[in-house]
Amino acid sequence: MNSDLQALITTLEMAALTTIILLIIGTPLAWYLAKMTSRFKVIIEAVVALPLVLPPTVLGFYLLIAFSPEYLPGQLWQQATGQQLAFSFSAIVIGSVLYSLPFVVQPLQKAFEQLGDSLLEAGALLGAGPIDRFFSIVLPLTKASFITAASLGFAHTVGEFGVILMIGGNIPGETRVLSIALFDHVEAFDYARAHLLSISLLITSMVLLAAIYWLNLPKKNSSKNLMVNTVREEKSSHE
Amino acid sequence: MNNYPISHSPVNNAALNSRSNNKTPQLDLNISIEYQQFDLAIELAIPLIGITGIFGHSASGKSTLLRAIAGLETSLRGEITLTDTSLPSRTFVSRTLVNSERGLYLKPEQRQVGLVFQNSRLFPHLTVRGNLEYAVKRCKNNRLSLDEVIKLTELGALLDHRVNQLSGGQQQRVALARAILAEPKLLLLDEPLSALDRHSKTQLLKMMLNIQKQLNLPMLYVSHSLDELQQVCDNLLVLAQGKVVNFGNIHQVIHQLNNDNNSDIIHQQTSLSLPIKTFNNGHGLTALALNAHEDIFMVCDQTFEQQTHLRCFILASDISITLTEPTNSSIVNHLFGTIKQINHQQNNVLLTVHCGSQDFFVTISAFSQQKLSLTIRQQVYLQFKASAVRTFIH
């Protein structure tokens, strides 16, 4: 059980770190995409959405090559940290960030597009600068989407298998996450432990998803719902 | 300047294209914006006195002009300079908002220009008080107290309401209060009344006038309703296809519009600011002094406190012409005058009749004109009912 606990801790650490990094880079990326009008927008959107359709092993394969000491990203990492990138905790975090990117960027982009510019213009004319506007207008009005994005990014990272297997291997305490531990148990015909891990992952995912849907449920007289409607009315009456 | 509403010295058409170097509160515009349908190109110095109306068809560039001044229009070339009073020294200071040649382009948040939008654009996650405080927190001067503005806009009872519980008129009052609390040097109003019912319109117009007077805040007010503009503006700018058609004293510009074959977009009218001579004469009529010897009567049984002048208008279609003095008529207003101009417009004729010192505009049918065989310099009597003298915000 001890090794499973270790795998759980590694998984949670990886997923938490990935989610934080995704929110930090996903927010400006989603903002940029929401405001972008150039033709390159579709290309960037396609790149962001790629992990949704690409077999994880394909992504993992290219990352494995890139992270190896023979290629530039791996070399640079080694020079900067003195450690090899492939088969490290850092590698699976980077892999997870790329793999879960669409799950964070897409809900945020949609929320920013829906919010539109009208309230931001109003804020600017009241003297609020861009950072101020983000924290005083955008964040409170898209809070639900941020929670959705973070939960989806986290849950998707927890469930990741192919990419981690390719670039992380199976090093206990470093890259051995729950999904890989489960695979090991099945390989070793240890179905009892496999059941335990599976059922706990299943229940956790179920609870997390239910929570997300509950959060996005249109509620009567809910201020959140009203406020989204107001923004929509504003948009439509403006068109 | 306490007499209100008083017409200011006329800014005639010579003001077009001439840019004064004297430091008076004014907005100097020399801008062009390329558009799909038309190019907006405006070169004009707007004196920042009272409320300046901006009138035109939809898609004449009115809103674009306001957005350019506010800093929301980014594809702009030219220069915008705002000269305003700097407190406490009360000297005039010019600030360049845009100078595309120098690459200078102040962001909206740096311009100290307020804008009230057609749809109030209140922050839905904040209460009324939250929306007002949003402006207060970001205002560098804090010369205005929140309580004072709440009183001016009559929002006291609504402070803890969510903004989506408010009616359209209430939302616009909050938007107006919020814009004022940012203490702008110039307030822009982009069709703020277009979505409101008549009662709310009247209430907001009164409020705008009162705020303008109390805070001495210059306003540019865009509307497609000449009736609204007529009631509150000192000067009027008329735009068409992105170009300045006319600019000057509100009454003069409206009278010029009458003759420009604009009957499809405006109600041809005589626009007046007249001194109030006697309030309610016992029969619900108020007398306004047209000149030293002639009065006109209007239906109005209210008293106007602290008000010496009244802004009113008479639709050209509400005035009729007789050749003899109508002594036996129920119609109370009759004026003697001389026909100055006859302008044929489809089946109607627009007459400009000079009475005393004032031009009146009268539309009659071409049939009537022939019947009476009216000619220029002919002397005629105008008659119109007291109820034809209209005003809607007093």
Side-chain angles (χ1 to χ4, degrees):
Chain A
M1 206 54 215
N2 209 8
S3 70
D4 285 348
L5 198 64
Q6 179 122 57
L8 175 69
I9 292 166
T10 307
T11 306
L12 292 179
E13 276 177 0
M14 173 187 74
L17 194 57
T18 301
T19 308
I20 292 166
I21 294 172
L22 274 174
L23 286 177
I24 293 170
I25 63 169
T27 305
L29 180 59
W31 184 262
Y32 184 66
L33 282 172
K35 303 292 164 199
M36 196 173 175
T37 47
S38 112
R39 252 174 300 163
F40 295 109
K41 176 174 171 162
V42 286
I43 296 171
I44 302 176
E45 280 180 316
V47 170
V48 169
L50 210 53
L52 291 174
V53 291
L54 204 65
T57 41
V58 175
L59 182 65
F61 173 65
Y62 285 120
L63 286 178
L64 180 66
I65 289 171
F67 290 174
S68 72
E70 286 101 73
Y71 289 87
L72 194 64
Q75 274 171 13
L76 288 176
W77 182 273
Q78 197 138 14
Q79 277 167 15
T81 64
Q83 280 161 353
Q84 185 187 302
L85 182 53
F87 307 113
S88 68
F89 180 72
S90 305
I92 60 170
V93 170
I94 296 172
S96 307
V97 165
L98 291 172
Y99 186 53
S100 298
L101 193 62
F103 291 85
V104 173
V105 171
Q106 286 183 351
L108 292 183
Q109 185 186 340
K110 198 180 262 176
F112 296 155
E113 281 168 355
Q114 220 167 56
L115 184 65
D117 286 332
S118 57
L119 294 178
L120 298 175
E121 288 180 352
L125 285 159
L126 297 170
I131 306 287
D132 184 1
R133 295 200 291 272
F134 180 80
F135 285 102
S136 62
I137 302 168
V138 179
L139 203 56
L141 287 174
T142 56
K143 204 165 53 189
S145 298
F146 269 93
I147 295 170
T148 304
S151 318
L152 284 177
F154 186 88
H156 190 246
T157 306
V158 169
E160 192 181 337
F161 179 73
V163 178
I164 295 184
L165 193 68
M166 295 294 277
I167 61 175
N170 190 0
I171 304 163
E174 180 83 15
T175 61
R176 190 170 192 259
V177 294
L178 281 180
S179 56
I180 298 208
L182 173 63
F183 183 70
D184 278 356
H185 294 324
V186 176
E187 288 272 89
F189 296 105
D190 190 351
Y191 277 33
R193 290 177 76 179
H195 266 304
L196 190 67
L197 276 186
S198 297
I199 197 79
S200 46
L201 273 175
L202 184 73
I203 290 170
T204 315
S205 307
M206 195 56 218
V207 169
L208 198 58
L209 279 178
I212 296 171
Y213 285 122
W214 176 76
L215 212 82
N216 284 319
L217 203 66
K219 273 166 269 179
K220 266 185 196 162
N221 301 324
S222 136
S223 58
K224 204 173 287 159
N225 186 31
L226 276 173
M227 113 200 145
V228 170
N229 284 340
T230 317
V231 173
R232 276 194 204 128
E233 275 163 26
E234 167 106 8
K235 272 189 82 176
S236 57
S237 68
H238 207 63
E239 275 155 11
Chain B
M1 280 312 196
N2 289 329
N3 291 349
Y4 140 87
I6 195 164
S7 63
H8 296 277
S9 58
V11 182
N12 58 32
N13 286 347
L16 286 174
N17 303 322
S18 79
R19 317 255 317 270
S20 163
N21 292 320
N22 300 332
K23 292 274 174 91
T24 51
Q26 72 176 32
L27 182 70
D28 287 294
L29 297 169
N30 182 6
I31 55 170
S32 64
I33 302 170
E34 282 174 29
Y35 252 122
Q36 287 121 331
Q37 304 112 312
F38 60 86
D39 291 350
L40 181 93
I42 291 174
E43 189 181 349
L44 183 67
I46 301 175
L48 296 179
I49 302 162
I51 303 179
T52 303
I54 302 177
F55 176 70
H57 277 291
S58 55
S60 57
K62 321 185 284 286
S63 295
T64 308
L65 174 60
L66 286 200
R67 290 178 62 83
I69 298 166
L72 301 175
E73 203 64 45
T74 46
S75 60
L76 163 75
R77 283 191 302 148
E79 197 177 344
I80 301 176
T81 310
L82 178 63
T83 306
D84 54 49
T85 327
S86 148
L87 293 167
S89 57
R90 293 191 169 277
T91 51
F92 294 116
V93 181
S94 288
R95 286 187 299 134
T96 306
L97 305 183
V98 178
N99 184 328
S100 59
E101 260 175 49
R102 283 194 281 139
L104 180 93
Y105 191 91
L106 281 191
K107 294 198 173 74
E109 59 266 29
Q110 300 165 329
R111 294 194 177 192
Q112 291 182 283
V113 169
L115 176 52
V116 177
F117 298 91
Q118 187 175 352
N119 36 18
S120 56
R121 301 201 189 184
L122 301 178
F123 302 126
H125 57 297
L126 302 174
T127 58
V128 170
R129 188 193 299 277
N131 270 276
L132 300 183
E133 281 171 350
Y134 191 96
V136 175
K137 275 181 212 153
R138 285 156 184 85
C139 176
K140 287 165 197 86
N141 304 321
N142 288 318
R143 233 172 263 122
L144 266 179
S145 81
L146 183 60
D147 292 338
E148 191 184 339
V149 175
I150 289 169
K151 215 168 134 193
L152 280 170
T153 49
E154 296 164 28
L155 287 171
L158 301 173
L159 287 176
D160 296 314
H161 284 56
R162 299 200 70 86
V163 294
N164 24 47
Q165 295 169 337
L166 306 178
S167 71
Q170 291 169 332
Q171 290 190 357
Q172 285 303 59
R173 261 153 60 198
V174 179
L176 183 63
R178 189 178 69 170
I180 295 162
L181 282 165
E183 298 185 26
K185 301 287 189 189
L186 170 64
L187 183 63
L188 311 173
L189 302 137
D190 189 1
E191 307 244 12
L193 312 181
S194 65
L196 306 184
D197 58 65
R198 191 180 168 86
H199 172 75
S200 307
K201 268 184 194 174
T202 310
Q203 186 188 31
L204 244 129
L205 279 174
K206 271 188 195 171
M207 218 167 255
M208 277 164 50
L209 265 177
N210 187 32
I211 287 165
Q212 197 288 318
K213 204 170 74 162
Q214 300 268 328
L215 308 180
N216 196 21
L217 171 64
M219 300 182 185
L220 296 190
Y221 171 28
V222 159
S223 176
H224 61 265
S225 160
L226 197 63
D227 295 352
E228 287 165 26
L229 295 169
Q230 195 272 342
Q231 291 288 298
V232 296
C233 295
D234 299 285
N235 289 317
L236 185 64
L237 168 60
V238 182
L239 292 181
Q241 297 279 306
K243 311 285 184 298
V244 176
V245 175
N246 213 329
F247 177 60
N249 169 277
I250 178 88
H251 302 309
Q252 290 181 1
V253 172
I254 288 177
H255 293 168
Q256 278 166 28
L257 285 176
N258 286 339
N259 272 311
D260 292 347
N261 280 316
N262 281 316
S263 51
D264 51 333
I265 58 163
I266 66 157
H267 300 300
Q268 290 168 324
Q269 59 184 263
T270 307
S271 174
L272 300 162
S273 291
L274 296 176
I276 299 167
K277 201 168 164 192
T278 45
F279 292 122
N280 195 352
N281 66 355
H283 299 95
L285 294 183
T286 290
L288 306 172
L290 183 63
N291 52 46
H293 358 271
E294 283 176 298
D295 295 340
I296 60 177
F297 293 95
M298 67 181 295
V299 178
C300 187
D301 51 9
Q302 304 171 35
T303 54
F304 308 96
E305 285 157 27
Q306 316 157 327
Q307 199 174 318
T308 57
H309 283 64
L310 193 78
R311 189 72 69 94
C312 57
F313 63 96
I314 308 156
L315 294 180
S317 53
D318 282 348
I319 307 182
S320 62
I321 299 261
T322 66
L323 297 177
T324 52
E325 188 169 8
T327 43
N328 297 324
S329 170
S330 71
I331 295 174
V332 292
N333 293 308
H334 21 93
L335 301 169
F336 182 66
T338 311
I339 298 177
K340 205 170 133 185
Q341 200 179 338
I342 299 178
N343 189 347
H344 294 268
Q345 299 176 336
Q346 288 155 357
N347 295 324
N348 287 327
V349 178
L350 176 75
L351 305 174
T352 309
V353 182
H354 195 70
C355 303
S357 54
Q358 177 68 47
D359 283 347
F360 281 79
F361 295 85
V362 183
T363 45
I364 56 174
S365 62
F367 174 76
S368 298
Q369 192 238 336
Q370 278 177 6
K371 198 175 95 180
L372 300 179
S373 48
L374 298 174
T375 55
I376 288 181
R377 281 187 293 280
Q378 187 173 350
Q379 296 191 319
V380 293
Y381 289 92
L382 303 189
Q383 57 172 6
F384 49 94
K385 292 183 165 194
S387 59
V389 184
R390 295 164 200 252
T391 184
F392 71 85
I393 67 164
H394 302 282

